[in-house]
Every structure is written in structure tokens, then in C-alpha cells.
Amino acid sequence: MLRPLGKRVIIKRLEAEEKTASGIVLPSQAKEKPQMAEVVAVSKDVEELKVGDKVVFKKFVGTEIKVDNDEVLICEMTDILAVVE
Amino acid sequence: MLRPLGKRVIIKRLEAEEKTASGIVLPSQAKEKPQMAEVVAVSKDVEELKVGDKVVFKKFVGTEIKVDNDEVLICEMTDILAVVE
Amino acid sequence: MLRPLGKRVIIKRLEAEEKTASGIVLPSQAKEKPQMAEVVAVSKDVEELKVGDKVVFKKFVGTEIKVDNDEVLICEMTDILAVVE
Amino acid sequence: MLRPLGKRVIIKRLEAEEKTASGIVLPSQAKEKPQMAEVVAVSKDVEELKVGDKVVFKKFVGTEIKVDNDEVLICEMTDILAVVE
Amino acid sequence: MLRPLGKRVIIKRLEAEEKTASGIVLPSQAKEKPQMAEVVAVSKDVEELKVGDKVVFKKFVGTEIKVDNDEVLICEMTDILAVVE
Amino acid sequence: MLRPLGKRVIIKRLEAEEKTASGIVLPSQAKEKPQMAEVVAVSKDVEELKVGDKVVFKKFVGTEIKVDNDEVLICEMTDILAVVE
Amino acid sequence: MLRPLGKRVIIKRLEAEEKTASGIVLPSQAKEKPQMAEVVAVSKDVEELKVGDKVVFKKFVGTEIKVDNDEVLICEMTDILAVVE
């Protein structure tokens, strides 16, 4: 398992249908990757989020890596804009 | 519901008629989007504003997302210039 | 009424005759807008100025908005250079 | 032996097969060097990592040097994104 | 009277003959404006200087304004390099 | 003798054979100057290093001067990456 | 007399023969101005140096002025690299 260091989280992009269920839809710039994601790991230094949280994040941020065939994104907390409650 | 993280708020742009009622009108650069908005959500870290406040914000800031067909904007508090009292 | 947030003030540019009365005149680069103004609102975070103060401010700063047909400018305190006493 | 100074660690890139064993695979931009590494030395100022830890790090960071024929990389801690647990 | 705000002073450039009397002459790049000045006002936040002090300041800094036909310069304290004693 | 000021050290580049003895070799970009050096002086503000330490430092940093025919380099401590133990 | 303000000193470049006597010679880029100097004045905020100290300083820094026909340089302390002991 990957544990992020510093003020970072690891997130996994949500597919369109998952976003619709939460009532939140991103603008229809169709070619861009979605900006909603689920938190899959949090650093010990991060208190505001927990695994499973759904978040909106800034475009063009983070480092993409592949874990067991899943593409995930390691992001700075400052790149996470909001959480779905 | 979306809750912003860090020093952020979520705001929704006001239409022209709503701005007129408050006596505040933005300069008539007709093609620009309005710079007045209503606060729809505040982070736990924000004390200066509350939901329902009407604010003036900087141009070209924030991240636009769509929530239940409403276009809203997630902004840093430093991009909120003033509040209508 | 508009109340600025953060370390900000709202100011209204002074006309030429008002500036002459105070004995302070800006350099005659005729096409530039005047750099003297009267404070019309102050944030709760600003202690150095009060409404009615006449100030000199940096060029090309602030955000212009219109309140009841008056054009005013929302500025950072660091853009206010001096006050007339 | 080399001991890094400041908030730095020395890491050695992992080969493809080692990464597969940990279940973590980086995106297939084949010509880039791998972004997973094993920690081979830590500064006295670094508490979050220890020798032997496997980490993911940012691309294009650090200073490459050769120690006893091994190519290693001296990195700032802020360039280490996550650790495998 | 103008009172500067923040860590600022208002200064008035000295003419060539005044500088000679103090024994300090700036390099003979004849077309540049002189870099010596007399302090004419200090902010409440400035303790290192007082009105009447003669100072050397950095080129190309400050905001020029005209007070009762005198051209003065509002400068940051960090732009004042030295004082004549 | 030269004593560096601030968070600085003075170092002298090591020749190739000296580096081999320590088992540490820099990458074979033959035309670059070596990146290993011996500390010849330390500022009073530097505690992590002492005279005689062998260090690895960042490329293209520091100010070169000549002391009694020796070329040495005055560097910021942040440019010293690691020490040989 | 000139007294520097802030973390600054005033220095006077040393001639070649003076540098030789101290055993320190700068690299032979003949057209550059010398980088060794004698301290002629220190700010009250500077504790590390005193008048008469011989120092090595960074190239291309400071403000040149002329005092009683001597060309001197007002420098930030961070531009003074080392002192001769």
C-alpha cells in the first residue's frame, strides 16, 4: 500500500456516472479529465480528509502513478478544493 | 453538498437585476462575467463570511464546477474583496 | 454598503480641484487617472485609516466597481502610500 | 558512506521487476526513468523515512552521483511523494 | 501635510551643490537624477530616520508626487541605503 | 585565512584519484568540473560540517576565488548535498 | 560620514597589490573589477563585521557612490561572502 508523505493525499478519479449520483457535475469541456475523485490514501500530516471522501481538485496537478492497474494521483492538500458531504 | 477546504468559499454569480437591487453595479464591460456573487458554502477555516453573504470578487479567479445544474465557483478567501452589508 | 475584507480599503478618486485645495498635486502626466482619493470604507482589519481620510495610492492597483453610480476602487492597504493630515 | 545533509535522502531507482512485486507500476512512458526507488541513506534531519523504505518520487529532481558503481540520487524530502507500506 | 503609511518615508532630492557640501557625490552618469535626498516625512512605523536626515537611496524606486510645487518621492524604507551623519 | 560569513562554507574540489579512494565517483560527463570537495573553512553559523569533511555539492553554485594559488569555492550550506562518513 | 541602514555595509574595493599581501587572489578574468574590499562603514544592525575588515563579496552587487573622491559600494550583508582573518 502507498502512504503519501507531507501534506499529500492519493486520489482516484471518479467516472461520470458516480459524479452524477452525487449531484455534482463538472463543466462539459469534454476532452478534459474529470476533476472529481475519491480519496484512497492520506498522509499522517493530513487531518481534513479520510479514505473514501469524495473531493473536487484543481486541474493539471499531482503525479500520476499506477497501483495494481488503477491510475491514481498523488496531490498536495492545497490542490484539493472541496469535499462532498 | 460541497464543503470547501482550506481558506476557501464557494460562490454563485449574481444576475444583473439582483446586483441593481443592492445598489452596486460593476463597470459595463459587457462581455465580462459579473463579479458579484452570493456565498453558497464556506470552509471551516473561514470566519469572515457566511452562507447568503453577497460579495465582490476578483476577476479570473477560482475553479468553476456545476452542482445540480448551478454553475458555482470555488475561490480562495483572498480573492473575495468585499461583502455587502 | 460595501465592507472590504482582509487588509483592504475602498477609495474614491478625488477631482483636480479637491487636490489643489489640499496643496498636493500629482505630476502632470495628463492622461493618467488621478492618484489621490478619499477613503469610503475600511475593512475591520485596517487600523491605520478611517472613512474620510484623503490618501495617495499606487498607480494601476485595485479593482474598480460602481456603487450607486460612483466609481470606487477596492485596494490592498499596501497600495496606499500616504495620508493627508 | 554518504550521509545527506539538510532535509534530504539518497535513493536508488528500482528496476521494473521489483516494482511489479510491490504491485505499483508507473505509467508506461517507456523512455522515462523509473520513479520508484529504495532509500539508501537519510539525513539526521529526516524522520519520516528510514533506509530500505521504498518510495515514489517526483520526476526530474535530485542530483545523480555514482557510489561504488551504483547510480544514486540525492533528493530533497519534498520531492519524495509517498512510501510503500 | 502628507504622512507616509507602512514602512515608508517621503524624501526630496538634493541639488548638486547641497551634495558637495556634505562631501558625498554620486557617480557622474550625468543624465540620471540624483540619488541623495532629504527626508521630509516619516511613517509612524519608521524609527531609523527623522525629518531633515540626508539619505542615499536606490535608483528607480518610489512614487513621485508634487506637494506645493515641490516634487517629492514616497519610498519604502528598504530603498533607503544610508544616512549622512 | 578566509572565514565565510552567514550559512556558508569554503570548499576545494577533489581530484579524480581522491574521489576513487572514497568509493564515490561522479557521472562521467567528462567535461564538467568535479562535484566532490573538501571543506577548508566553515562559518561560525554552520554546525553540520567541519574542516576536512569531504562533501558532494550542487553543480554551478558558489563563488570561485584563489587563495595562495589554490582555487576554492565559497558556497551556501544549502548547496552542500551530502558528506562522506 | 555615511552610515548604512538595514543589514548593510559600505565597502571600498582593494587594489591588486593589497590583495596579494593577504595571500588571496581572485581569478584572472582581467577585465572584471576586483571582488575584495575593505569595510568602511557598518549599519547598527550588522554585528558580524567592523570597519577595517577585509572581505570578499559577490560580483555585480550593491550601489556605487562617491564620497570625497573615493568610490565606495553600499552592499547587503548577504552579498558579503567571507572575511579575511
Side-chain angles (χ1 to χ4, degrees):
Chain A
M1 217 196 77
L2 263 190
R3 176 170 57 81
L5 295 169
K7 284 278 190 184
R8 292 190 183 99
V9 289
I10 304 181
I11 60 180
K12 187 168 172 267
R13 294 177 197 276
L14 290 179
E15 301 304 318
E17 55 268 38
E18 295 179 73
K19 284 184 294 179
T20 308
S22 68
I24 297 166
V25 188
L26 301 193
S28 54
Q29 294 131 313
K31 280 157 212 150
E32 292 185 5
K33 291 192 173 180
Q35 271 181 269
M36 277 200 67
E38 182 170 339
V39 176
V40 296
V42 298
S43 161
K44 287 172 179 169
D45 298 338
V46 169
E47 295 178 352
E48 302 92 326
L49 290 178
K50 61 181 186 305
V51 172
D53 279 349
K54 290 194 171 54
V55 295
V56 180
F57 60 102
K58 282 187 198 165
K59 280 181 230 182
F60 315 126
V61 299
T63 296
E64 287 206 346
I65 64 165
K66 223 174 182 173
V67 182
D68 298 323
N69 284 335
D70 276 344
E71 266 196 27
V72 298
L73 205 53
I74 309 183
C75 291
E76 304 287 332
M77 263 306 285
T78 52
D79 295 328
I80 307 296
L81 299 169
V83 56
V84 181
E85 294 203 318
Chain B
M1 216 196 77
L2 262 191
R3 176 170 57 81
L5 294 170
K7 284 278 190 183
R8 292 191 183 98
V9 290
I10 305 181
I11 61 181
K12 188 169 171 265
R13 294 176 197 276
L14 290 179
E15 301 305 318
E17 55 268 39
E18 295 179 74
K19 283 184 294 179
T20 308
S22 68
I24 297 166
V25 187
L26 301 193
S28 54
Q29 293 130 313
K31 279 156 212 151
E32 291 185 7
K33 292 192 173 180
Q35 271 181 268
M36 277 201 65
E38 183 169 339
V39 176
V40 297
V42 298
S43 161
K44 288 172 178 168
D45 298 338
V46 168
E47 294 178 352
E48 302 92 328
L49 291 177
K50 60 181 187 306
V51 173
D53 279 348
K54 289 192 172 56
V55 295
V56 179
F57 60 102
K58 283 187 197 164
K59 279 181 230 182
F60 314 126
V61 299
T63 296
E64 287 206 344
I65 64 166
K66 223 175 182 171
V67 182
D68 298 323
N69 285 335
D70 276 345
E71 265 196 27
V72 297
L73 205 52
I74 310 182
C75 291
E76 303 287 332
M77 263 304 287
T78 52
D79 295 328
I80 307 296
L81 298 170
V83 57
V84 182
E85 293 203 319
Chain C
M1 216 196 77
L2 262 191
R3 176 169 57 81
L5 295 170
K7 284 277 189 184
R8 292 192 183 98
V9 289
I10 304 181
I11 61 180
K12 187 169 172 264
R13 295 177 197 276
L14 289 179
E15 300 305 319
E17 56 268 39
E18 295 178 73
K19 283 185 294 180
T20 309
S22 69
I24 297 166
V25 187
L26 300 192
S28 55
Q29 294 131 314
K31 279 156 211 150
E32 291 185 6
K33 291 193 173 179
Q35 270 181 268
M36 277 202 65
E38 183 169 339
V39 176
V40 296
V42 298
S43 162
K44 287 172 180 170
D45 297 339
V46 169
E47 295 177 351
E48 302 91 326
L49 291 177
K50 61 181 188 304
V51 172
D53 279 347
K54 290 193 171 54
V55 295
V56 179
F57 59 102
K58 283 187 197 164
K59 278 181 230 181
F60 314 127
V61 300
T63 296
E64 287 205 345
I65 64 166
K66 223 175 183 171
V67 182
D68 298 324
N69 285 336
D70 275 345
E71 265 196 28
V72 297
L73 204 54
I74 310 182
C75 291
E76 304 287 332
M77 263 304 286
T78 52
D79 295 328
I80 307 296
L81 298 170
V83 58
V84 182
E85 293 203 319
Chain D
M1 218 197 75
L2 263 190
R3 177 170 56 83
L5 295 169
K7 285 278 191 183
R8 292 191 184 99
V9 290
I10 305 182
I11 60 180
K12 186 168 173 268
R13 294 176 197 276
L14 290 178
E15 300 304 318
E17 55 267 40
E18 295 179 74
K19 283 184 294 179
T20 309
S22 70
I24 297 165
V25 188
L26 301 193
S28 55
Q29 293 129 315
K31 280 157 212 150
E32 291 184 5
K33 290 193 174 179
Q35 269 181 271
M36 277 200 66
E38 183 170 338
V39 176
V40 296
V42 299
S43 162
K44 287 171 180 170
D45 298 339
V46 169
E47 295 178 352
E48 302 92 326
L49 291 177
K50 61 182 186 305
V51 173
D53 279 348
K54 289 193 172 53
V55 295
V56 180
F57 59 101
K58 282 187 197 165
K59 278 180 232 183
F60 315 125
V61 300
T63 296
E64 287 206 347
I65 64 165
K66 222 174 182 173
V67 182
D68 298 324
N69 285 334
D70 276 344
E71 266 195 27
V72 298
L73 205 53
I74 310 182
C75 292
E76 304 286 332
M77 263 305 285
T78 51
D79 296 327
I80 307 296
L81 298 170
V83 57
V84 181
E85 294 201 319
Chain E
M1 214 196 76
L2 261 190
R3 176 169 57 82
L5 295 170
K7 284 277 190 184
R8 292 191 184 100
V9 290
I10 304 182
I11 61 180
K12 186 167 173 267
R13 293 176 198 275
L14 290 179
E15 301 305 319
E17 55 268 37
E18 295 179 74
K19 283 184 295 180
T20 309
S22 69
I24 297 166
V25 187
L26 301 193
S28 54
Q29 294 130 314
K31 279 156 212 150
E32 291 186 4
K33 291 193 174 179
Q35 270 181 268
M36 278 201 65
E38 183 170 338
V39 175
V40 297
V42 299
S43 162
K44 287 173 180 169
D45 297 339
V46 168
E47 295 177 352
E48 302 91 327
L49 291 178
K50 61 182 187 305
V51 172
D53 280 348
K54 291 193 171 54
V55 295
V56 179
F57 59 101
K58 282 187 197 164
K59 279 180 232 182
F60 314 126
V61 300
T63 297
E64 288 206 344
I65 64 165
K66 223 175 183 171
V67 181
D68 298 323
N69 284 336
D70 277 344
E71 265 196 27
V72 297
L73 205 54
I74 310 182
C75 292
E76 304 287 331
M77 263 305 285
T78 52
D79 295 328
I80 307 296
L81 299 170
V83 58
V84 181
E85 292 203 319
Chain F
M1 218 197 74
L2 263 190
R3 177 170 56 82
L5 295 170
K7 285 277 191 184
R8 291 190 184 101
V9 291
I10 304 182
I11 61 180
K12 187 169 172 266
R13 294 177 198 276
L14 290 178
E15 300 304 318
E17 54 267 41
E18 295 179 75
K19 284 184 294 179
T20 309
S22 70
I24 297 166
V25 189
L26 301 192
S28 55
Q29 293 130 313
K31 280 157 212 150
E32 291 185 6
K33 292 193 173 178
Q35 268 180 272
M36 277 201 65
E38 184 170 337
V39 176
V40 296
V42 299
S43 162
K44 288 172 179 169
D45 298 339
V46 169
E47 295 178 351
E48 301 92 326
L49 290 178
K50 61 182 186 306
V51 173
D53 279 348
K54 290 192 171 55
V55 295
V56 179
F57 60 101
K58 282 187 196 165
K59 279 180 230 183
F60 314 125
V61 299
T63 296
E64 287 206 346
I65 65 164
K66 223 174 182 172
V67 182
D68 298 324
N69 285 335
D70 276 345
E71 266 195 27
V72 297
L73 205 53
I74 310 182
C75 292
E76 304 287 332
M77 263 305 285
T78 52
D79 295 328
I80 307 296
L81 298 170
V83 58
V84 182
E85 293 202 318
Chain G
M1 216 197 75
L2 263 190
R3 177 170 55 82
L5 295 170
K7 285 276 191 184
R8 291 189 184 102
V9 290
I10 305 182
I11 61 180
K12 187 168 172 267
R13 293 177 198 276
L14 290 179
E15 300 305 318
E17 55 268 39
E18 297 179 74
K19 283 184 294 179
T20 308
S22 70
I24 298 167
V25 187
L26 301 193
S28 54
Q29 294 130 313
K31 279 156 213 150
E32 290 185 6
K33 291 193 173 178
Q35 269 181 271
M36 278 201 64
E38 183 170 338
V39 176
V40 296
V42 299
S43 162
K44 288 172 179 169
D45 297 340
V46 169
E47 295 177 351
E48 302 92 326
L49 291 176
K50 61 182 185 308
V51 173
D53 279 348
K54 291 192 171 56
V55 295
V56 180
F57 60 101
K58 282 187 197 165
K59 280 179 232 182
F60 315 126
V61 300
T63 297
E64 288 206 345
I65 64 164
K66 224 174 181 172
V67 181
D68 298 323
N69 285 336
D70 276 344
E71 266 196 26
V72 297
L73 205 54
I74 310 182
C75 291
E76 304 286 332
M77 263 305 285
T78 52
D79 295 329
I80 308 296
L81 298 170
V83 58
V84 182
E85 293 204 318

